[in-house]
Amino acid sequence: MTSDNPRQALGQSAWSACDHEWILSNMMDGEHTYQYRLLWRKFWRDRPFFTCDRFGYVRGSGGINPYLGRFSLAGHGELSWPRPPDISRIGRVYPSDALEADYLRALRKTRFLEVVGDHLILRNGDKTTLLEFERVEDIMR
């Protein structure tokens, strides 16, 4: 069966998100909207990113501080947070800026995960898109 929706045709298993590294491209947290900016391309270390593994850990950076959390993922991309993502207390913790605080707040609200081509989309319980990421290679290096 083929799909008329190209996004559905390119859809992948939700667990395939853990095979890649993702950098934030858009965030809509209900209060603020952050969209891709040229400046973000120049300063990747200052841009929030997301990685996960098949053991149920999520980690990345909120832009300033690293974060860590535990998640559970069902077959259709349903996401729950046994341990919501929070700033990792390993090493020195710096004060968060507005982007980092909004990013972590939006990440904790996500309930659905979908991989579509080179994009990772995280949605809330109403299936409203909160976070969109682009796949990148070797961001952790």
Side-chain angles (χ1 to χ4, degrees), residues 22-25 50 103 118-120 122 131-134:
W22 306 92
I23 194 158
L24 185 67
S25 58
F50 178 97
Y103 170 74
D118 288 339
H119 298 275
L120 172 65
L122 298 175
L131 301 165
E132 292 182 22
F133 298 85
E134 295 175 20

Side-chain angles (χ1 to χ4, degrees), residues 58-128:
V58 62
R59 62 186 56 84
S61 170
I64 296 173
N65 294 292
Y67 67 85
L68 179 67
R70 294 280 321 247
F71 71 100
S72 179
L73 189 60
H76 297 291
E78 295 173 32
L79 183 66
S80 62
W81 297 103
R83 181 176 163 212
D86 204 0
I87 293 173
S88 175
R89 300 297 177 198
I90 299 172
R92 186 167 180 185
V93 176
Y94 298 95
S96 295
D97 64 4
L99 173 61
E100 181 171 76
D102 291 344
Y103 170 74
L104 289 171
R105 186 174 26 259
L107 187 57
R108 291 180 199 118
K109 291 179 186 177
T110 60
R111 297 296 176 261
F112 294 94
L113 180 150
E114 180 183 15
V115 177
V116 181
D118 288 339
H119 298 275
L120 172 65
I121 302 166
L122 298 175
R123 296 184 170 97
N124 67 10
D126 296 333
K127 296 202 175 179
T128 301

Side-chain angles (χ1 to χ4, degrees), residues 11-24:
Q12 301 170 30
S13 159
W15 278 108
S16 70
C18 295
D19 296 335
H20 306 285
E21 297 171 342
W22 306 92
I23 194 158
L24 185 67

